[in-house]
Amino acid sequence: MVTALGKRFPRLHSAVIRTFVLVQHYAAAMMAVSGLPQMKNHTSVETLEITQNLLNSPKQCPCGHGLMVLLRVPCSPLAAVAYERLAHVRARLALEEHFEIILGHPSSGITVGKHFVKQLKMWQKIEDAEWRPQTYLELEGLPCILIFSGMDPHGESLPRSLRYCDLRLINSSCLVRTALEQELGLAAYFVSNDIPLEKGPKNEALESDGEKLSSTDEDEEAGTEGCFEAGSTSEQRGPVKRERSHSHDSASSSLSSRASGSVLYGESLAQPSGPPQGELTRSPPSCGPAEEGRAPGEIQRLRVSQGSTVISRHSPGLVPQPDSSLRTGRRSLQVPAAPSSQLSSSSGSSSTCAVPTANVLVLQASQCSMAKACRQPPIVFLPKLVYDMLLSTDSSGLPKSASLLPSPSVMWTSSFRPLLSKMMTSTEQSLYYRQWTVPRPSHMDYGNRAEGRVDSFHPRRLLLSGPPQIGKTGAYLQFLSILSRMLIRLTEVDVYDEEEINTSFREESEWRYLQLADPWPDLELFQKMPFDYIIHDPKYEDASLICSHPQTIKSEDRGMSRKPEDLYVRRQTARMRLSKYAAYNTYHHCEQCQQYMGFHPHYQLSESTLHVFAFSCSMLGEEVQLHFIIPKSKEHHFVFSQPGGQLESMRLPLVTDKSHEHIKSPTFTPTTGRHEHGLFNLYHAMDGANHLHVLVVKEYEMAIYKKYWPNHIMLVLPSIFNSAGVGAAHFLIKELCYHNLELERNRQEELGVKPQDVWPFIVIADDSCVMWNVADVDCAGERSREFSWSERNVSLKYIMLHIEASPNITHYALLGMRKWASKTRGREVQEPFSRCHVHDFIILNVDLTQNVQYNQNRFTCDDVDFNLRVHSAGLLLCRFNRFSVMKKQIAVGGHRSFHITSKVSDSSVAIVPSQYICAPDSKHTFLAAPAQLLLEKFLQYHSHRFFPLSLKNHSHPVLSVDCYLNLGPQISVCYVSSRPHSLNISCSDMVFSGLLLYLCDSFVGASFLKKFHFLKGATLCVICQDRNSLRQTVVRLELEDEWQFRLRDEFQTANAKEDRPLFFLTARHI
């Protein structure tokens, strides 16, 4: 009908036509119920049922309580027309005292007739003669049709007597998450835990006539319609095909019933066996206000149910469909009916079932509608498009409605965004929307970028997320609660609380440091300890296991790889109260650290100078120019040719210095995207001690970091590293510090200082290190296994002074500490030192590691790769097990700053890791991301394509030469170094399932590779910077002697030629 009218009146808006048709259905239904059975062919089954239950519900209750029908008409003028039309039909049918019709709008009052006001006052025992209902909650028990208008429902609270929520006229404006949740929230309400929620609206269906249940829609058979009840998981309704009746006999009435072998309960979930005979004639419970009705104040205090909305699907979508645009159908359960001889007939007020006879109202449930409302959720009628969106799911298992925009005033930043995760909290969802949406011109934050702000949204503007029907008052209270928690949270922090991984792979005999009471490691004893190749840091749970000997590892011992869309899955954290030794972000302000932060009257924000520091770097093949931003208050840490002149070096102390108020090691913190949230205020962590702290930032972020941290020294990386990962920052920090060490040795040698006496250590710390702890161990004896220990928070100054005072410290290349975990085992702190990987907060000897470099191209696992290089060079790595660092969970910046998107701006196809590589010269979509990042992410999720024999085959790992690349948790790797005199594991008894050659240099030769043994069918993967180097490497290493190559096995990262893609070639072992 809607389509036909649309063709007949092409200039008429579809909303006008749909409203007109639905109002006609309600008018025809009122006529059919009032004794004009021929009118039932001019309405729909659902509208007829709604109207019949509306008119008959007061007859079921001695007090006259009825049900409410909510008719949602967003357009206010159309709502007024619908009100006038239905009121006119009601008057012509003399139904003015049977039910009320109310025109409701969020900005207008409620008008109720005198007859119904009198009933409300009687039910609610109100004696005030001037009283009128002011809220919808005060309409409890009133039989009425509430025509609710306005484009925004504003979270209105509706009474418990709401039985039907007709949302068939909502339009495309609800296709954003906020509007859709507001519309559906009209049918949500609070329930008490004391009242069991029934599975469905039992014993309410009034129709037993198959002809009444037939739809007048000629296209009804085109598809089966269904009903959905949220929260009912134990029982599921089965779909019943609803056949159209071809009989239009005027003698048959919608209010009559034929004797038949079955009865269709349109809304019930019938039990397998019916109630006993005695229960059929039981009198209904009292429905006085004290027992059945609840005061509005009580309703607000009840708890939220997990699911209390019945959503009924029907056919009309936002696009008009032929004739079916206003029809609905619901799943029903077909149950046998008792023979009529077994049914007792009595008055409608005292019986629960009546004998079906012609032209007699059949009340199968003579129970007060208010009593049933406590157990039964409202039924919601929706357009088909909205219904399908709510029930259909995407690949992550979430409803498709989860991919809607949060608000019409924002838009997505990119179509290549990760999916929402089921594990996300409300806070994480808010951060997701903040990251992946930008304001439209209608949004209040639209002008932020014009004002020079980096953030799209104002940082002090909150995005509130609450349950349905929370209301304005509830939102205000929630806001005050957030403010209260924010004040409390200023003293609390969420830190990662994860146990070490792969602890079962340690061997007892190899992991013993017998001097349990030693405060510092004994050099001779420590050198005899073997290196633990296994990674134990929980952040590398998805990383490849490193084998040091043939492993017998079960596949189930290794965790399954996370999917790319699980990037935002919440890691395990614990909320900790900040100690007086914590590191802080820019939101912390106190009198003690005002001068440290630069917010002090004696120091102007502009009092800092820019200096160029240049040095030659053989790895980069050119001179590198780094820029230092040095505040006036920090210039004493540097040497200048003259006051305000050329920067010459950064001052370094001597190894023999014994000051307890000065930290000798300069601290470098690489950071990106965390100018507000990075923990750079180390004043309290250092307990006021004198120290040198340098922030390492990218060039495009220099201005914003300088704004937030005006009194911090900043090292600005060259612009060519703007898109680089953390490996580039680590590489340049180490190169800079070694060059500075040489300059300081030359400068201080002129002052009579020996070169080896200049302090060679630096600290490289993550920007999320928040607190530090020490474990106090009480050993009964030096070698006793019985001991007790406790952990306490200490300052970073305490830890640094302790480590820097270690005997023979200059013989160690890397020092570090544990990552804190609440479930730390006693064994992990019993042995005070370990020779293993160190992460997050490391103390690096730039002198010993002169010839060991970070890989400047790396984005992930660069610290693991560097640790392996340091060990293979014969250097010592020491972890202080009784020191631990807490890392704060920061949901912005860091690795989240790197997004992989298509270079085709109008492409709407999501990019998955399998698309990060392609065949050379193909018409693949190029991606706007560094080639190294694409390579690392592809290997992390899809390395099994290159190494099929290695999947879950930990006894035959992949041989990785001179590098560690994460091939995913299901593939193990064995790291070897090709450098002369390197420390490598014995591979004579190992057979490998693959070989990975990543940018191999001249140290890798054919004779070196012939030492290793491979399975038949093992896979080779050679990665080079261009296709020419790829072929030269194959020839130089004589790979064709043992490996079979095919032209189709050549790949490249999905980069354009100007972005310098990486190329790789695979082969099979002959």
Side-chain angles (χ1 to χ4, degrees):
M1 184 185 294
V2 172
T3 304
L5 289 174
K7 292 179 179 179
R8 184 177 178 184
F9 304 101
R11 295 187 179 182
L12 205 56
H13 197 280
S14 62
V16 177
I17 299 176
R18 295 168 66 210
T19 304
F20 171 79
V21 173
L22 186 59
V23 170
Q24 287 294 98
H25 281 185
Y26 273 97
M30 281 191 276
M31 297 177 193
V33 175
S34 300
L36 298 175
Q38 65 273 19
M39 296 303 296
K40 72 174 185 177
N41 295 326
H42 300 281
T43 185
S44 63
V45 174
E46 293 73 28
T47 309
L48 182 61
E49 176 188 323
I50 293 172
T51 308
Q52 183 171 338
N53 288 335
L54 170 65
L55 287 171
N56 292 310
S57 59
K59 302 175 184 178
Q60 300 172 257
C61 174
C63 297
H65 290 146
L67 57 85
M68 171 184 282
V69 176
L70 175 68
L71 176 58
R72 181 84 171 96
V73 185
C75 179
S76 297
L78 291 177
V81 172
Y83 172 78
E84 293 175 1
R85 173 61 178 163
L86 293 181
H88 174 71
V89 174
R90 182 189 60 166
R92 294 290 300 272
L93 296 174
L95 298 175
E96 293 96 331
E97 295 188 359
H98 287 71
F99 68 95
E100 180 64 299
I101 301 177
I102 302 171
L103 180 59
H105 191 277
S107 60
S108 62
I110 301 174
T111 302
V112 180
K114 294 181 180 180
H115 169 73
F116 297 107
V117 171
K118 183 179 179 180
Q119 280 189 314
L120 290 172
K121 291 168 66 176
M122 179 182 64
W123 292 337
Q124 301 178 26
K125 298 181 180 180
I126 298 174
E127 299 180 357
D128 184 5
E130 302 298 326
W131 180 87
R132 294 292 185 274
Q134 301 296 321
T135 66
Y136 296 120
L137 289 175
E138 294 175 331
L139 302 179
E140 183 75 49
L142 182 68
C144 63
I145 296 177
L146 172 60
I147 302 176
F148 196 74
S149 65
M151 300 305 293
D152 189 356
H154 289 171
E156 294 289 347
S157 297
L158 298 171
R160 290 297 187 86
S161 54
L162 174 65
R163 191 71 196 93
Y164 297 99
C165 191
D166 194 339
L167 305 181
R168 286 178 282 185
L169 294 181
I170 59 176
N171 51 30
S172 58
S173 63
C174 75
L175 294 183
V176 292
R177 182 175 173 181
T178 304
L180 185 58
E181 289 184 359
Q182 284 182 333
E183 297 287 354
L184 294 177
L186 291 171
Y189 58 80
F190 298 88
V191 297
S192 172
N193 283 345
D194 300 331
I195 301 175
L197 186 65
E198 291 188 3
K199 296 297 181 182
K202 300 180 181 179
N203 295 333
E204 186 184 343
L206 304 177
E207 59 275 15
S208 60
D209 184 6
E211 198 169 5
K212 175 188 177 298
L213 286 175
S214 64
S215 173
T216 56
D217 180 14
E218 295 178 358
D219 296 328
E220 183 73 11
E221 297 180 2
T224 302
E225 305 295 340
C227 178
F228 165 76
E229 180 175 356
S232 297
T233 57
S234 60
E235 297 184 59
Q236 183 67 36
R237 303 185 188 187
V240 176
K241 184 75 174 184
R242 189 173 284 181
E243 298 182 358
R244 174 176 171 80
S245 172
H246 298 284
S247 173
H248 299 284
D249 185 4
S250 60
S252 61
S253 170
S254 63
L255 304 180
S256 65
S257 174
R258 294 192 182 131
S260 61
S262 66
V263 179
L264 285 175
Y265 283 69
E267 298 174 24
S268 67
L269 285 171
Q271 302 298 329
S273 60
Q277 177 69 23
E279 294 185 9
L280 291 175
T281 58
R282 182 179 57 188
S283 297
S286 174
C287 56
E291 293 183 25
E292 299 297 332
R294 290 185 181 270
E298 277 189 84
I299 295 176
Q300 297 296 337
R301 289 194 294 269
L302 297 178
R303 296 185 61 185
V304 181
S305 170
Q306 290 185 347
S308 60
T309 304
V310 176
I311 301 177
S312 179
R313 167 181 172 178
H314 80 112
S315 55
L318 298 182
V319 179
Q321 299 179 2
D323 285 348
S324 62
S325 58
L326 292 173
R327 309 290 181 190
T328 64
R330 283 177 286 104
R331 293 179 182 169
S332 305
L333 193 65
Q334 189 168 1
V335 296
S340 59
S341 60
Q342 297 179 3
L343 298 177
S344 62
S345 177
S346 60
S347 63
S349 62
S350 62
S351 67
T352 58
C353 192
V355 178
T357 57
N359 299 321
V360 176
L361 294 178
V362 182
L363 301 180
Q364 295 181 7
S366 180
Q367 188 181 12
C368 176
S369 59
M370 289 178 58
K372 289 182 289 184
C374 297
R375 300 185 300 272
Q376 300 171 2
I379 296 175
V380 180
F381 295 91
L382 290 172
K384 182 177 182 298
L385 177 64
V386 178
Y387 176 86
D388 290 341
M389 188 176 297
L390 290 172
L391 263 67
S392 56
T393 58
D394 56 23
S395 57
S396 65
L398 287 174
K400 287 187 177 180
S401 57
S403 62
L404 297 175
L405 277 169
S407 168
S409 58
V410 298
M411 59 184 177
W412 296 116
T413 57
S414 171
S415 57
F416 311 108
R417 59 186 180 276
L419 298 174
L420 278 170
S421 169
K422 291 181 179 179
M423 303 293 292
M424 281 188 179
T425 63
S426 295
T427 302
E428 289 165 335
Q429 287 188 33
S430 178
L431 291 171
Y432 173 88
Y433 287 129
R434 286 290 171 90
Q435 180 176 356
W436 293 101
T437 61
V438 292
R440 294 182 188 270
S442 58
H443 197 282
M444 60 189 72
D445 284 329
Y446 180 70
N448 283 352
R449 291 190 179 274
E451 297 171 3
R453 289 193 57 82
V454 175
D455 300 328
S456 297
F457 298 94
H458 197 283
R460 304 296 182 270
R461 188 163 288 126
L462 302 177
L463 177 60
L464 299 178
S465 176
Q469 296 291 342
I470 190 64
K472 294 179 286 294
T473 303
Y476 299 149
L477 293 175
Q478 177 72 5
F479 176 67
L480 293 177
S481 175
I482 291 174
L483 289 181
S484 175
R485 289 201 304 270
M486 287 174 66
L487 294 176
I488 297 175
R489 283 301 304 274
L490 291 176
T491 63
E492 294 179 340
V493 65
D494 288 329
V495 299
Y496 289 112
D497 183 12
E498 300 165 315
E499 295 184 76
E500 288 193 342
I501 60 174
N502 303 324
T503 54
S504 60
F505 303 143
R506 290 173 174 165
E507 294 189 9
E508 287 287 339
S509 60
E510 294 183 349
W511 290 93
R512 301 297 296 171
Y513 187 93
L514 301 180
Q515 307 294 335
L516 301 183
D518 284 358
W520 295 288
D522 181 274
L523 182 60
E524 293 184 5
L525 179 60
F526 194 81
Q527 287 175 330
K528 297 176 182 179
M529 293 179 65
F531 178 73
D532 183 10
Y533 283 86
I534 304 296
I535 304 173
H536 300 291
D537 193 309
K539 72 179 178 181
Y540 291 123
E541 183 181 4
D542 291 342
S544 299
L545 191 70
I546 304 174
C547 297
S548 57
H549 52 81
Q551 300 281 347
T552 56
I553 303 170
K554 297 179 181 179
S555 299
E556 54 267 22
D557 291 339
R558 297 290 292 149
M560 294 299 294
S561 176
R562 290 194 184 107
K563 296 179 180 179
E565 58 266 23
D566 290 341
L567 175 66
Y568 294 89
V569 168
R570 184 180 179 87
R571 292 170 59 186
Q572 187 173 358
T573 61
R575 181 162 296 178
M576 304 294 294
R577 183 171 292 275
L578 290 170
S579 72
K580 64 177 182 178
Y581 301 124
Y584 291 95
N585 55 26
T586 188
Y587 298 114
H588 172 78
H589 300 284
C590 70
E591 295 181 0
Q592 289 81 9
C593 59
Q594 277 187 354
Q595 181 174 337
Y596 175 85
M597 291 291 291
F599 301 110
H600 195 273
H602 296 294
Y603 299 100
Q604 300 298 323
L605 297 183
S606 60
E607 289 188 353
S608 59
T609 54
L610 181 66
H611 298 272
V612 178
F613 192 82
F615 61 93
S616 59
C617 177
S618 58
M619 293 288 293
L620 298 178
E622 58 184 8
E623 184 179 73
V624 178
Q625 284 193 348
L626 301 178
H627 292 82
F628 274 96
I629 299 177
I630 306 175
K632 292 290 185 181
S633 60
K634 302 295 178 67
E635 287 186 347
H636 62 277
H637 292 292
F638 297 86
V639 177
F640 299 93
S641 58
Q642 58 184 8
Q646 177 69 33
L647 174 64
E648 293 189 346
S649 66
M650 184 171 56
R651 296 184 187 273
L652 294 176
L654 302 180
V655 176
T656 55
D657 288 348
K658 301 297 182 182
S659 173
H660 293 289
E661 294 301 325
H662 180 76
I663 307 301
K664 290 189 284 189
S665 306
T667 301
F668 291 83
T669 303
T671 177
T672 180
R674 291 179 175 172
H675 45 275
E676 287 186 287
H677 301 281
L679 306 178
F680 311 129
N681 183 348
L682 301 182
Y683 178 82
H684 300 283
M686 290 294 187
D687 199 14
N690 188 22
H691 66 282
L692 173 60
H693 187 201
V694 181
L695 303 185
V696 184
V697 302
K698 296 181 178 180
E699 186 184 58
Y700 73 92
E701 294 181 298
M702 175 186 65
I704 191 67
Y705 272 93
K706 185 176 181 295
K707 174 183 176 181
Y708 280 91
W709 302 93
N711 203 38
H712 272 58
I713 303 168
M714 294 187 189
L715 173 63
V716 184
L717 301 180
S719 58
I720 59 172
F721 294 104
N722 277 346
S723 60
V726 68
H730 288 161
F731 170 80
L732 289 173
I733 290 170
K734 184 178 173 299
E735 287 291 297
L736 164 72
C737 291
Y738 179 76
H739 182 72
N740 181 73
L741 177 63
E742 291 292 309
L743 293 175
E744 276 293 283
R745 283 175 170 176
N746 295 335
R747 183 183 70 84
Q748 297 194 38
E749 190 175 14
E750 297 177 359
L751 303 176
V753 177
K754 296 179 181 180
Q756 62 268 24
D757 288 342
V758 179
W759 185 254
F761 288 93
I762 64 170
V763 174
I764 300 180
D766 284 4
D767 56 5
S768 57
C769 298
V770 61
M771 287 185 287
W772 291 261
N773 299 278
V774 62
D776 296 318
V777 177
D778 182 16
C779 298
E782 197 172 78
R783 300 193 178 206
S784 174
R785 293 189 176 184
E786 296 181 1
F787 74 102
S788 60
W789 64 283
S790 60
E791 200 166 42
R792 59 188 171 93
N793 186 258
V794 294
S795 66
L796 179 56
K797 169 189 171 181
Y798 174 91
I799 290 180
M800 290 304 302
L801 290 177
H802 182 94
I803 295 178
E804 290 177 349
S806 300
N808 301 311
I809 188 174
T810 55
H811 290 79
Y812 297 90
L814 269 176
L815 301 119
M817 63 190 74
R818 287 188 301 111
K819 183 179 289 185
W820 176 87
S822 62
K823 297 181 181 179
T824 299
R825 301 182 182 92
R827 174 187 172 184
E828 296 174 13
V829 298
Q830 182 181 16
E831 298 171 13
F833 311 104
S834 296
R835 191 174 178 184
C836 61
H837 293 275
V838 290
H839 313 273
D840 304 325
F841 189 94
I842 64 169
I843 303 171
L844 172 65
N845 188 331
V846 295
D847 184 30
L848 288 184
T849 58
Q850 172 189 356
N851 297 319
V852 184
Q853 307 298 337
Y854 280 98
N855 188 334
Q856 71 268 24
N857 299 314
R858 297 297 294 271
F859 286 81
T860 60
C861 301
D862 78 305
D863 52 348
V864 177
D865 182 61
F866 183 70
N867 290 339
L868 293 172
R869 295 181 189 218
V870 170
H871 168 69
S872 64
L875 303 176
L876 296 179
L877 295 87
C878 177
R879 190 180 78 173
F880 284 69
N881 291 329
R882 292 176 184 171
F883 291 146
S884 62
V885 58
M886 290 181 169
K887 292 197 65 182
K888 179 183 177 182
Q889 182 191 42
I890 303 179
V892 297
H895 66 88
R896 292 183 174 87
S897 300
F898 301 102
H899 306 301
I900 298 176
T901 60
S902 171
K903 300 197 81 170
V904 182
S905 58
D906 58 347
S907 176
S908 59
V909 180
I911 304 298
V912 294
S914 61
Q915 298 174 290
Y916 293 170
I917 69 166
C918 61
D921 305 322
S922 65
K923 295 183 179 181
H924 191 84
T925 301
F926 289 139
L927 306 179
Q932 181 70 31
L933 178 60
L934 296 179
L935 171 69
E936 293 180 27
K937 290 298 182 181
F938 175 82
L939 292 179
Q940 179 180 352
Y941 296 110
H942 293 281
S943 58
H944 59 272
R945 288 176 53 182
F946 289 165
F947 304 103
L949 291 184
S950 308
L951 189 65
K952 299 182 181 180
N953 189 2
H954 300 290
S955 58
H956 299 288
V958 173
L959 180 65
S960 184
V961 180
D962 288 336
C963 77
Y964 171 81
L965 284 170
N966 180 13
L967 303 181
Q970 302 301 312
I971 295 181
S972 298
V973 301
C974 179
Y975 175 90
V976 295
S977 174
S978 63
R979 301 299 188 267
H981 313 295
S982 295
L983 291 180
N984 284 324
I985 64 173
S986 175
C987 299
S988 58
D989 57 346
M990 297 184 69
V991 181
F992 300 100
S993 59
L995 173 62
L996 177 62
L997 300 175
Y998 167 78
L999 304 181
C1000 54
D1001 52 24
S1002 59
F1003 288 103
V1004 182
S1007 58
F1008 173 79
L1009 295 179
K1010 293 184 186 299
K1011 301 176 184 178
F1012 306 102
H1013 307 285
F1014 298 90
L1015 294 173
K1016 184 178 180 180
T1019 312
L1020 163 71
C1021 181
V1022 186
I1023 304 173
C1024 293
Q1025 292 180 333
D1026 54 68
R1027 301 177 79 174
N1028 188 38
S1029 301
L1030 202 62
R1031 287 157 176 75
Q1032 291 177 358
T1033 300
V1034 171
V1035 174
R1036 180 175 65 83
L1037 300 180
E1038 302 175 5
L1039 296 176
E1040 292 177 305
D1041 296 345
E1042 297 185 11
W1043 302 87
Q1044 179 183 6
F1045 293 88
R1046 298 181 301 182
L1047 291 177
R1048 64 183 180 181
D1049 291 335
E1050 184 178 355
F1051 305 93
Q1052 71 166 69
T1053 55
N1055 297 101
K1057 185 176 181 180
E1058 60 271 15
D1059 295 331
R1060 303 180 63 182
L1062 291 172
F1063 292 85
F1064 27 111
L1065 186 63
T1066 62
R1068 293 184 62 197
H1069 195 266
I1070 302 174

